[in-house]
Amino acid sequence: NYLPYYASFGSISYSVKSDKAGFAWGSNSLHSSIAASNAYCDADDCRPVVWVQGGCASIAVNHDGEALGLGYGVNRSIANSNAMASCRLASAAGRCKLRMFVCSY
């Protein structure tokens, strides 16, 4: 799984209290990607929850707000599938929905 030196960063920030999310892609550094996703999230408790370089990342949340699933992969489909599986494992009821994804290559 070789990543070229020019592969850009993407990240997702999430607020558990307000269910707000922000994302950034195409950033030259992890730091700038996280700063941008936090700014777009626009809530006091926004925190970076997943990042990726040269691929896709996704988050899924439980309908009750009790669980957060994270996933990443080489494409959107794999990232979404991993996030849903992670959320279902963390959730007592197992009912989750995709919240957001980002791809950065």
Side-chain angles (χ1 to χ4, degrees):
N1 292 345
Y2 169 75
L3 287 178
Y5 69 91
Y6 54 81
S8 60
F9 290 88
S11 62
I12 299 174
S13 294
Y14 182 68
S15 163
V16 175
K17 283 195 283 188
S18 66
D19 190 40
K20 288 185 177 182
F23 64 96
W25 74 94
S27 300
N28 292 332
S29 72
L30 178 58
H31 177 74
S32 63
S33 179
I34 288 173
S37 66
N38 276 339
Y40 287 121
C41 183
D42 195 32
D44 292 340
D45 66 327
C46 281
R47 299 291 178 259
V49 292
V50 65
W51 65 271
V52 67
Q53 182 182 20
C56 298
S58 183
I59 63 172
V61 295
N62 178 277
H63 291 282
D64 301 329
E66 70 181 31
L68 175 66
L70 312 172
Y72 60 91
V74 295
N75 61 42
R76 177 182 175 183
S77 178
I78 292 171
N80 287 349
S81 180
N82 290 338
M84 288 295 288
S86 174
C87 183
R88 287 184 185 122
L89 285 174
S91 169
R95 295 179 18 213
C96 296
K97 63 180 177 178
L98 287 171
R99 180 64 179 85
M100 181 171 282
F101 80 94
V102 66
C103 292
S104 193
Y105 296 103

Coordinates of all heavy atoms in Angstrom, one line a residue:
N1 N 0.8 -1.2 0.0 CA 0.0 0.0 0.0 C 0.9 1.3 0.0 O 0.9 2.0 1.0 CB -0.9 0.0 1.2 CG -2.0 -1.1 1.1 OD1 -2.2 -1.6 0.0 ND2 -2.7 -1.3 2.2
Y2 N 1.6 1.5 -1.1 CA 2.4 2.6 -1.2 C 1.6 3.9 -1.3 O 0.7 4.0 -2.1 CB 3.3 2.4 -2.5 CG 4.1 3.6 -2.8 CD1 5.2 4.0 -2.1 CD2 3.7 4.4 -3.9 CE1 5.9 5.2 -2.5 CE2 4.4 5.5 -4.3 CZ 5.5 5.9 -3.6 OH 6.2 7.0 -3.9
L3 N 2.0 4.9 -0.6 CA 1.4 6.2 -0.7 C 2.5 7.2 -1.2 O 3.6 7.3 -0.7 CB 1.0 6.7 0.7 CG -0.3 6.1 1.2 CD1 -0.6 6.7 2.6 CD2 -1.5 6.3 0.3
P4 N 2.2 7.9 -2.3 CA 3.2 8.8 -2.8 C 3.4 10.0 -1.9 O 2.5 10.3 -1.1 CB 2.6 9.3 -4.2 CG 1.2 8.9 -4.1 CD 1.0 7.8 -3.1
Y5 N 4.6 10.6 -1.9 CA 4.9 11.7 -1.0 C 3.9 12.8 -1.1 O 3.7 13.6 -0.2 CB 6.3 12.2 -1.3 CG 6.5 12.9 -2.6 CD1 6.3 14.3 -2.6 CD2 6.8 12.2 -3.7 CE1 6.4 14.9 -3.9 CE2 6.9 12.9 -4.9 CZ 6.7 14.2 -5.0 OH 6.9 14.9 -6.2
Y6 N 3.2 13.0 -2.2 CA 2.3 14.1 -2.5 C 0.9 13.8 -2.0 O 0.0 14.6 -2.2 CB 2.3 14.5 -3.9 CG 2.1 13.4 -4.9 CD1 0.8 13.0 -5.2 CD2 3.1 12.7 -5.5 CE1 0.5 11.9 -6.0 CE2 2.9 11.7 -6.4 CZ 1.6 11.3 -6.6 OH 1.3 10.3 -7.5
A7 N 0.6 12.6 -1.5 CA -0.8 12.2 -1.1 C -1.2 13.2 0.0 O -0.5 13.5 1.0 CB -0.8 10.8 -0.5
S8 N -2.4 13.8 -0.1 CA -2.8 14.8 0.8 C -3.6 14.2 2.0 O -3.9 13.0 2.0 CB -3.7 15.8 0.1 OG -4.8 15.2 -0.5
F9 N -3.8 15.1 3.0 CA -4.5 14.6 4.2 C -6.0 15.0 4.2 O -6.3 16.1 3.6 CB -3.8 15.3 5.4 CG -2.5 14.7 5.7 CD1 -1.3 15.3 5.1 CD2 -2.3 13.7 6.6 CE1 -0.1 14.8 5.4 CE2 -1.0 13.2 6.9 CZ 0.1 13.8 6.3
G10 N -6.8 14.3 4.8 CA -8.2 14.6 5.1 C -8.5 14.2 6.5 O -7.9 13.3 7.1
S11 N -9.4 14.9 7.1 CA -9.8 14.6 8.5 C -11.3 15.0 8.8 O -11.9 15.8 8.0 CB -8.9 15.4 9.5 OG -9.1 16.8 9.3
I12 N -11.8 14.4 9.8 CA -13.2 14.7 10.3 C -13.1 15.0 11.8 O -12.5 14.3 12.6 CB -14.1 13.5 10.1 CG1 -14.2 13.1 8.6 CG2 -15.5 13.7 10.6 CD1 -15.0 11.8 8.3
S13 N -13.8 16.1 12.1 CA -13.9 16.5 13.5 C -15.4 16.3 13.9 O -16.3 16.5 13.0 CB -13.5 17.9 13.8 OG -12.1 18.0 13.6
Y14 N -15.7 16.0 15.2 CA -17.1 15.7 15.5 C -17.4 16.2 16.9 O -16.5 16.2 17.8 CB -17.3 14.2 15.5 CG -18.7 13.8 15.8 CD1 -19.8 14.1 15.0 CD2 -19.0 13.1 17.0 CE1 -21.1 13.7 15.2 CE2 -20.3 12.7 17.3 CZ -21.3 13.0 16.4 OH -22.6 12.7 16.7
S15 N -18.6 16.7 17.1 CA -19.1 17.2 18.4 C -20.2 16.2 18.9 O -21.2 16.1 18.2 CB -19.7 18.6 18.3 OG -20.5 18.9 19.4
V16 N -19.9 15.5 20.0 CA -20.9 14.6 20.5 C -22.1 15.3 21.0 O -23.2 14.8 20.7 CB -20.2 13.7 21.6 CG1 -21.2 12.8 22.3 CG2 -19.1 12.9 21.1
K17 N -21.9 16.4 21.7 CA -23.1 17.1 22.3 C -24.1 17.7 21.2 O -25.3 17.5 21.4 CB -22.6 18.3 23.2 CG -22.1 17.9 24.5 CD -22.0 19.0 25.5 CE -20.8 19.9 25.2 NZ -20.5 20.9 26.2
S18 N -23.5 18.3 20.2 CA -24.4 18.9 19.2 C -24.6 18.1 17.9 O -25.3 18.5 17.0 CB -23.8 20.3 18.8 OG -22.6 20.1 18.2
D19 N -23.9 17.0 17.8 CA -23.9 16.2 16.5 C -23.5 16.9 15.3 O -23.9 16.7 14.2 CB -25.3 15.5 16.3 CG -25.3 14.5 15.2 OD1 -24.4 13.7 15.1 OD2 -26.3 14.5 14.4
K20 N -22.6 18.0 15.5 CA -22.1 18.7 14.4 C -20.8 18.0 14.0 O -20.1 17.4 14.8 CB -21.8 20.1 14.8 CG -23.0 21.0 15.0 CD -22.6 22.4 15.2 CE -23.8 23.3 15.4 NZ -23.5 24.7 15.6
A21 N -20.5 18.1 12.7 CA -19.3 17.5 12.2 C -18.7 18.5 11.1 O -19.4 19.2 10.5 CB -19.6 16.2 11.5
G22 N -17.4 18.4 11.0 CA -16.7 19.2 10.0 C -15.6 18.3 9.3 O -15.1 17.4 10.0
F23 N -15.3 18.6 8.1 CA -14.3 17.8 7.4 C -13.4 18.7 6.6 O -13.8 19.9 6.3 CB -14.9 16.7 6.6 CG -15.8 17.3 5.4 CD1 -15.2 17.4 4.2 CD2 -17.1 17.6 5.6 CE1 -16.0 17.9 3.1 CE2 -17.9 18.0 4.6 CZ -17.3 18.2 3.3
A24 N -12.2 18.2 6.3 CA -11.3 18.9 5.4 C -10.6 17.8 4.5 O -10.4 16.7 4.9 CB -10.3 19.7 6.2
W25 N -10.2 18.2 3.3 CA -9.5 17.3 2.4 C -8.5 18.1 1.6 O -8.6 19.3 1.5 CB -10.4 16.5 1.5 CG -11.0 17.4 0.4 CD1 -10.5 17.5 -0.9 CD2 -12.2 18.2 0.5 NE1 -11.3 18.4 -1.6 CE2 -12.3 18.8 -0.8 CE3 -13.1 18.5 1.5 CZ2 -13.3 19.7 -1.1 CZ3 -14.1 19.4 1.2 CH2 -14.2 20.0 -0.1
G26 N -7.5 17.4 1.0 CA -6.6 18.1 0.2 C -5.5 18.9 0.9 O -4.9 19.7 0.3
S27 N -5.4 18.7 2.2 CA -4.4 19.5 3.0 C -3.0 18.9 2.8 O -2.8 17.7 2.7 CB -4.8 19.5 4.5 OG -6.1 20.0 4.6
N28 N -2.0 19.8 2.9 CA -0.6 19.4 2.8 C -0.1 18.8 4.0 O 1.0 18.2 4.0 CB 0.2 20.6 2.3 CG -0.1 21.0 0.9 OD1 -0.5 20.2 0.1 ND2 0.1 22.3 0.6
S29 N -0.7 19.1 5.2 CA -0.2 18.5 6.4 C -1.4 18.1 7.3 O -2.6 18.5 7.1 CB 0.6 19.6 7.2 OG -0.3 20.6 7.7
L30 N -1.1 17.1 8.2 CA -2.2 16.7 9.1 C -2.6 17.8 10.0 O -3.8 18.0 10.2 CB -1.6 15.5 10.0 CG -2.5 15.0 11.0 CD1 -3.8 14.4 10.4 CD2 -1.9 13.9 11.8
H31 N -1.7 18.6 10.5 CA -2.1 19.8 11.3 C -3.1 20.7 10.7 O -4.1 21.1 11.2 CB -0.8 20.5 11.8 CG -1.1 21.7 12.6 ND1 -1.5 21.6 13.9 CD2 -1.1 23.0 12.3 CE1 -1.7 22.8 14.4 NE2 -1.5 23.7 13.4
S32 N -2.8 21.1 9.4 CA -3.7 22.0 8.7 C -5.1 21.3 8.4 O -6.1 22.0 8.5 CB -3.1 22.5 7.4 OG -2.9 21.5 6.5
S33 N -5.1 20.1 8.2 CA -6.3 19.3 7.9 C -7.2 19.3 9.2 O -8.4 19.6 9.1 CB -6.0 17.9 7.5 OG -7.2 17.2 7.3
I34 N -6.6 19.0 10.3 CA -7.3 19.0 11.6 C -7.8 20.4 12.0 O -9.0 20.6 12.4 CB -6.5 18.4 12.7 CG1 -6.3 16.9 12.5 CG2 -7.0 18.7 14.1 CD1 -5.4 16.2 13.4
A35 N -7.0 21.4 11.8 CA -7.4 22.8 12.1 C -8.6 23.2 11.2 O -9.6 23.8 11.7 CB -6.3 23.8 11.9
A36 N -8.6 22.8 10.0 CA -9.7 23.1 9.1 C -11.0 22.4 9.5 O -12.1 22.9 9.5 CB -9.4 22.9 7.6
S37 N -10.9 21.1 9.8 CA -12.1 20.3 10.1 C -12.7 20.8 11.4 O -13.9 20.8 11.6 CB -11.8 18.8 10.1 OG -10.9 18.4 11.1
N38 N -11.8 21.2 12.4 CA -12.3 21.7 13.6 C -13.1 23.0 13.4 O -14.1 23.3 14.0 CB -11.2 22.0 14.6 CG -10.8 20.7 15.4 OD1 -11.6 19.8 15.5 ND2 -9.7 20.7 16.0
A39 N -12.5 23.9 12.5 CA -13.2 25.2 12.2 C -14.5 25.0 11.5 O -15.5 25.6 11.9 CB -12.3 26.0 11.3
Y40 N -14.6 24.0 10.6 CA -15.9 23.8 9.9 C -16.9 23.1 10.8 O -18.1 23.2 10.6 CB -15.7 22.9 8.7 CG -15.0 23.7 7.6 CD1 -13.8 23.3 7.0 CD2 -15.6 24.8 7.1 CE1 -13.2 24.0 6.0 CE2 -15.0 25.6 6.0 CZ -13.8 25.1 5.5 OH -13.2 25.8 4.5
C41 N -16.5 22.4 11.8 CA -17.4 21.7 12.8 C -18.2 22.8 13.6 O -19.4 22.6 13.8 CB -16.6 20.8 13.7 SG -17.6 19.9 14.8
D42 N -17.5 23.8 14.0 CA -18.2 25.0 14.6 C -19.0 24.7 15.9 O -20.1 25.1 16.0 CB -19.1 25.7 13.6 CG -19.5 27.1 14.0 OD1 -18.7 27.7 14.7 OD2 -20.6 27.5 13.7
A43 N -18.4 23.9 16.8 CA -18.9 23.7 18.1 C -17.8 23.7 19.1 O -16.7 23.3 18.8 CB -19.7 22.3 18.1
D44 N -18.1 24.0 20.3 CA -17.1 24.2 21.4 C -16.4 22.8 21.7 O -15.2 22.8 22.0 CB -17.7 24.7 22.7 CG -18.1 26.2 22.5 OD1 -17.6 26.8 21.6 OD2 -18.9 26.6 23.4
D45 N -17.1 21.7 21.5 CA -16.5 20.4 21.9 C -16.1 19.6 20.7 O -15.9 18.4 20.8 CB -17.5 19.6 22.8 CG -18.7 19.2 22.0 OD1 -19.2 20.0 21.1 OD2 -19.2 18.1 22.3
C46 N -15.9 20.3 19.5 CA -15.4 19.5 18.3 C -14.0 19.0 18.6 O -13.2 19.8 19.0 CB -15.4 20.4 17.1 SG -17.0 20.6 16.4
R47 N -13.8 17.8 18.2 CA -12.5 17.1 18.3 C -12.3 16.3 17.1 O -13.2 15.7 16.5 CB -12.5 16.2 19.6 CG -12.7 16.9 20.9 CD -11.5 17.8 21.2 NE -11.8 18.5 22.5 CZ -12.2 19.8 22.6 NH1 -12.4 20.5 21.6 NH2 -12.4 20.3 23.8
P48 N -11.0 16.3 16.7 CA -10.7 15.4 15.5 C -10.9 13.9 15.9 O -10.5 13.5 17.0 CB -9.2 15.7 15.2 CG -8.7 16.3 16.5 CD -9.8 17.0 17.2
V49 N -11.6 13.2 15.1 CA -11.9 11.8 15.5 C -11.2 10.8 14.5 O -11.0 9.7 14.9 CB -13.4 11.5 15.6 CG1 -14.0 12.2 16.8 CG2 -14.1 11.9 14.3
V50 N -11.0 11.2 13.3 CA -10.3 10.3 12.3 C -9.6 11.1 11.2 O -10.1 12.2 10.9 CB -11.3 9.3 11.7 CG1 -12.4 10.0 10.8 CG2 -10.7 8.2 10.9
W51 N -8.5 10.6 10.7 CA -7.8 11.3 9.7 C -7.3 10.3 8.7 O -7.2 9.1 9.1 CB -6.7 12.2 10.2 CG -5.6 11.5 10.9 CD1 -5.5 11.2 12.2 CD2 -4.4 11.0 10.3 NE1 -4.4 10.5 12.5 CE2 -3.6 10.4 11.3 CE3 -3.9 11.0 9.0 CZ2 -2.4 9.8 11.1 CZ3 -2.6 10.4 8.7 CH2 -1.9 9.8 9.8
V52 N -6.9 10.7 7.5 CA -6.5 9.8 6.5 C -5.5 10.5 5.6 O -5.6 11.7 5.4 CB -7.6 9.2 5.7 CG1 -8.3 10.2 4.9 CG2 -7.2 8.0 4.9
Q53 N -4.6 9.8 5.0 CA -3.7 10.3 4.0 C -3.7 9.4 2.8 O -3.4 8.2 2.9 CB -2.2 10.4 4.5 CG -1.3 11.0 3.4 CD 0.2 11.1 3.9 OE1 0.6 10.3 4.8 NE2 0.9 11.9 3.3
G54 N -4.2 10.0 1.7 CA -4.3 9.2 0.5 C -5.3 8.1 0.5 O -5.1 7.0 0.0
G55 N -6.5 8.4 1.0 CA -7.6 7.5 1.1 C -8.9 8.1 1.6 O -9.0 9.3 1.4
C56 N -9.8 7.4 2.1 CA -11.0 7.9 2.6 C -11.2 7.5 4.1 O -10.8 6.5 4.6 CB -12.2 7.3 1.8 SG -12.2 7.7 0.1
A57 N -12.0 8.4 4.8 CA -12.3 8.2 6.2 C -13.8 8.4 6.4 O -14.4 9.2 5.6 CB -11.5 9.1 7.1
S58 N -14.4 7.8 7.4 CA -15.9 7.9 7.6 C -16.2 7.8 9.0 O -15.4 7.1 9.8 CB -16.6 6.8 6.8 OG -17.9 6.9 6.9
I59 N -17.3 8.4 9.5 CA -17.8 8.2 10.8 C -19.3 7.8 10.7 O -20.0 8.2 9.9 CB -17.6 9.4 11.7 CG1 -18.4 10.6 11.2 CG2 -16.2 9.8 11.9 CD1 -18.4 11.8 12.2
A60 N -19.7 7.0 11.7 CA -21.1 6.6 11.9 C -21.4 6.8 13.3 O -20.6 6.6 14.2 CB -21.2 5.1 11.5
V61 N -22.7 7.1 13.6 CA -23.2 7.4 14.9 C -24.4 6.5 15.2 O -25.2 6.2 14.3 CB -23.5 8.8 15.2 CG1 -22.2 9.7 15.1 CG2 -24.5 9.4 14.2
N62 N -24.6 6.2 16.5 CA -25.7 5.5 16.9 C -26.9 6.4 16.9 O -26.7 7.6 17.2 CB -25.5 4.9 18.3 CG -26.7 4.2 18.9 OD1 -27.5 4.8 19.4 ND2 -26.7 2.9 18.7
H63 N -28.1 6.0 16.7 CA -29.3 6.8 16.7 C -29.5 7.5 18.0 O -30.1 8.6 18.1 CB -30.5 6.1 16.2 CG -30.5 5.7 14.8 ND1 -30.8 6.5 13.8 CD2 -30.2 4.5 14.2 CE1 -30.7 5.9 12.6 NE2 -30.3 4.7 12.9
D64 N -29.1 6.8 19.1 CA -29.2 7.4 20.5 C -28.1 8.3 20.8 O -28.1 8.9 21.9 CB -29.4 6.3 21.5 CG -30.6 5.4 21.2 OD1 -31.6 5.9 20.6 OD2 -30.5 4.2 21.5
G65 N -27.1 8.4 20.0 CA -25.9 9.2 20.3 C -24.9 8.6 21.3 O -24.0 9.3 21.8
E66 N -25.1 7.3 21.6 CA -24.2 6.7 22.5 C -22.9 6.1 22.0 O -22.0 5.8 22.7 CB -25.0 5.6 23.3 CG -25.2 4.4 22.4 CD -26.0 3.3 23.1 OE1 -26.8 3.6 24.0 OE2 -25.8 2.1 22.7
A67 N -22.9 5.9 20.6 CA -21.7 5.2 20.0 C -21.2 6.0 18.8 O -22.0 6.6 18.1 CB -22.1 3.8 19.7
L68 N -19.9 6.0 18.6 CA -19.3 6.6 17.4 C -18.4 5.5 16.8 O -17.6 4.9 17.5 CB -18.5 7.8 17.8 CG -17.7 8.5 16.8 CD1 -18.6 9.1 15.7 CD2 -16.8 9.6 17.4
G69 N -18.6 5.3 15.5 CA -17.7 4.4 14.8 C -16.9 5.1 13.8 O -17.3 6.0 13.1
L70 N -15.6 4.7 13.7 CA -14.7 5.3 12.8 C -14.2 4.3 11.8 O -14.1 3.1 12.1 CB -13.4 5.8 13.6 CG -13.7 6.6 14.8 CD1 -12.5 6.8 15.6 CD2 -14.4 7.9 14.5
G71 N -13.9 4.7 10.6 CA -13.4 3.8 9.5 C -12.6 4.5 8.5 O -12.7 5.7 8.3
Y72 N -11.7 3.8 7.9 CA -10.9 4.3 6.8 C -10.6 3.2 5.8 O -10.7 2.1 6.2 CB -9.6 5.0 7.3 CG -8.7 4.1 8.1 CD1 -7.7 3.4 7.4 CD2 -8.8 3.9 9.4 CE1 -6.8 2.5 8.1 CE2 -7.9 3.1 10.1 CZ -7.0 2.4 9.4 OH -6.1 1.6 10.1
G73 N -10.2 3.6 4.6 CA -9.9 2.6 3.6 C -9.5 3.3 2.3 O -9.4 4.5 2.3
V74 N -9.2 2.5 1.3 CA -8.7 3.1 0.1 C -9.8 3.7 -0.8 O -9.5 4.5 -1.7 CB -8.0 2.0 -0.8 CG1 -6.8 1.5 -0.1 CG2 -9.0 0.8 -1.1
N75 N -11.1 3.5 -0.4 CA -12.2 4.2 -1.1 C -13.3 4.4 -0.1 O -13.3 3.9 1.0 CB -12.6 3.4 -2.4 CG -13.2 2.0 -2.0 OD1 -13.9 1.8 -1.1 ND2 -12.8 1.0 -2.8
R76 N -14.3 5.1 -0.6 CA -15.5 5.5 0.3 C -16.2 4.3 0.8 O -16.6 4.3 1.9 CB -16.4 6.5 -0.6 CG -17.6 6.9 0.2 CD -18.5 7.7 -0.7 NE -19.7 8.0 -0.1 CZ -20.7 8.7 -0.6 NH1 -20.6 9.2 -1.8 NH2 -21.8 9.0 0.0
S77 N -16.5 3.4 -0.1 CA -17.2 2.2 0.3 C -16.6 1.4 1.4 O -17.3 1.0 2.4 CB -17.4 1.3 -0.9 OG -18.1 0.1 -0.6
I78 N -15.3 1.2 1.4 CA -14.6 0.5 2.4 C -14.6 1.3 3.7 O -14.9 0.8 4.8 CB -13.2 0.2 2.0 CG1 -13.2 -0.9 0.9 CG2 -12.4 -0.4 3.2 CD1 -11.9 -1.1 0.2
A79 N -14.4 2.6 3.6 CA -14.4 3.5 4.8 C -15.8 3.5 5.5 O -15.9 3.3 6.7 CB -14.0 4.9 4.5
N80 N -16.8 3.6 4.7 CA -18.2 3.6 5.2 C -18.5 2.2 5.9 O -19.1 2.2 7.0 CB -19.2 3.9 4.1 CG -19.2 5.3 3.7 OD1 -18.6 6.2 4.3 ND2 -19.9 5.6 2.6
S81 N -18.1 1.2 5.3 CA -18.4 -0.2 5.8 C -17.7 -0.4 7.1 O -18.2 -0.9 8.1 CB -17.9 -1.2 4.8 OG -18.2 -2.5 5.3
N82 N -16.4 0.1 7.2 CA -15.6 0.0 8.4 C -16.2 0.8 9.6 O -16.3 0.4 10.7 CB -14.2 0.3 8.2 CG -13.5 -0.7 7.4 OD1 -13.9 -1.9 7.3 ND2 -12.4 -0.3 6.7
A83 N -16.7 2.0 9.2 CA -17.3 2.9 10.2 C -18.6 2.3 10.8 O -18.8 2.3 12.0 CB -17.5 4.3 9.7
M84 N -19.4 1.7 9.9 CA -20.7 1.1 10.4 C -20.4 -0.1 11.2 O -21.0 -0.3 12.3 CB -21.5 0.7 9.2 CG -22.1 1.9 8.4 SD -23.3 2.8 9.4 CE -24.7 1.6 9.5
A85 N -19.4 -0.9 10.9 CA -19.1 -2.1 11.7 C -18.6 -1.7 13.0 O -18.9 -2.3 14.1 CB -18.0 -2.9 10.9
S86 N -17.7 -0.6 13.1 CA -17.2 -0.1 14.3 C -18.3 0.4 15.2 O -18.3 0.2 16.4 CB -16.1 0.9 14.0 OG -15.7 1.5 15.2
C87 N -19.2 1.1 14.7 CA -20.3 1.7 15.4 C -21.2 0.6 16.0 O -21.6 0.7 17.1 CB -21.1 2.7 14.6 SG -22.5 3.5 15.4
R88 N -21.5 -0.4 15.2 CA -22.4 -1.5 15.6 C -21.8 -2.2 16.8 O -22.5 -2.7 17.7 CB -22.7 -2.4 14.5 CG -23.7 -1.8 13.5 CD -24.1 -2.8 12.4 NE -24.9 -2.1 11.4 CZ -24.6 -2.0 10.1 NH1 -23.5 -2.6 9.6 NH2 -25.4 -1.4 9.3
L89 N -20.5 -2.4 16.8 CA -19.8 -3.1 17.9 C -19.9 -2.3 19.1 O -19.9 -2.8 20.2 CB -18.3 -3.3 17.5 CG -18.1 -4.5 16.5 CD1 -16.6 -4.5 16.2 CD2 -18.5 -5.8 17.1
A90 N -19.8 -0.9 19.0 CA -19.8 -0.1 20.2 C -21.2 0.2 20.7 O -21.4 0.7 21.8 CB -19.1 1.2 19.9
S91 N -22.2 -0.1 19.9 CA -23.6 0.3 20.3 C -24.3 -0.9 20.9 O -24.3 -2.0 20.3 CB -24.3 0.7 19.0 OG -25.7 0.9 19.2
A92 N -25.0 -0.7 21.9 CA -25.8 -1.7 22.6 C -27.0 -2.2 21.6 O -27.2 -3.3 21.5 CB -26.4 -1.2 23.9
A93 N -27.6 -1.2 21.0 CA -28.7 -1.5 20.1 C -28.3 -1.9 18.7 O -29.0 -2.6 18.0 CB -29.7 -0.3 20.0
G94 N -27.1 -1.5 18.3 CA -26.5 -1.9 17.0 C -27.1 -1.1 15.9 O -26.8 -1.4 14.7
R95 N -27.9 -0.1 16.1 CA -28.5 0.7 15.1 C -27.7 2.0 14.9 O -27.7 2.9 15.7 CB -29.9 1.1 15.4 CG -30.8 -0.1 15.5 CD -32.2 0.2 15.9 NE -32.6 1.6 15.7 CZ -33.5 2.2 16.5 NH1 -34.1 1.6 17.4 NH2 -33.8 3.5 16.2
C96 N -27.0 2.1 13.7 CA -26.1 3.2 13.4 C -26.5 3.8 12.1 O -27.1 3.1 11.2 CB -24.7 2.7 13.4 SG -24.1 2.1 15.0
K97 N -26.0 5.0 11.9 CA -26.2 5.7 10.6 C -24.9 6.3 10.2 O -24.1 6.8 11.1 CB -27.3 6.7 10.6 CG -27.0 7.9 11.5 CD -28.1 8.9 11.6 CE -27.8 10.0 12.6 NZ -28.8 11.0 12.6
L98 N -24.6 6.4 8.9 CA -23.4 7.1 8.5 C -23.6 8.6 8.7 O -24.6 9.1 8.4 CB -23.1 6.8 7.0 CG -22.6 5.4 6.7 CD1 -22.6 5.2 5.2 CD2 -21.2 5.2 7.3
R99 N -22.6 9.2 9.2 CA -22.7 10.6 9.5 C -21.9 11.5 8.5 O -22.4 12.5 8.1 CB -22.2 10.9 11.0 CG -22.2 12.3 11.4 CD -23.6 12.8 11.5 NE -23.7 14.2 12.0 CZ -23.6 15.3 11.2 NH1 -23.4 15.1 9.9 NH2 -23.7 16.5 11.7
M100 N -20.7 11.1 8.2 CA -19.9 11.9 7.3 C -18.7 11.1 6.7 O -18.3 10.1 7.4 CB -19.3 13.1 8.0 CG -18.5 14.0 7.2 SD -18.1 15.6 8.1 CE -19.6 16.4 7.9
F101 N -18.3 11.4 5.6 CA -17.1 10.8 5.0 C -16.2 11.9 4.3 O -16.7 13.0 4.0 CB -17.4 9.7 4.0 CG -17.8 10.2 2.6 CD1 -16.8 10.3 1.6 CD2 -19.1 10.7 2.3 CE1 -17.1 10.8 0.4 CE2 -19.4 11.2 1.1 CZ -18.4 11.3 0.1
V102 N -15.0 11.6 4.1 CA -14.0 12.4 3.4 C -13.0 11.6 2.7 O -12.6 10.5 3.2 CB -13.3 13.4 4.4 CG1 -12.4 12.7 5.4 CG2 -12.6 14.5 3.6
C103 N -12.7 12.0 1.5 CA -11.6 11.3 0.7 C -10.6 12.4 0.3 O -10.9 13.5 0.0 CB -12.2 10.7 -0.5 SG -13.3 9.3 -0.2
S104 N -9.3 11.9 0.4 CA -8.2 12.8 0.1 C -7.1 12.0 -0.5 O -6.6 11.0 0.1 CB -7.7 13.5 1.3 OG -6.9 14.6 1.0
Y105 N -6.7 12.3 -1.8 CA -5.7 11.5 -2.5 C -4.5 12.3 -2.9 O -4.5 13.5 -2.9 CB -6.3 10.9 -3.8 CG -7.5 10.0 -3.4 CD1 -8.8 10.3 -3.6 CD2 -7.2 8.7 -3.0 CE1 -9.8 9.4 -3.3 CE2 -8.2 7.8 -2.7 CZ -9.5 8.2 -2.8 OH -10.5 7.3 -2.6

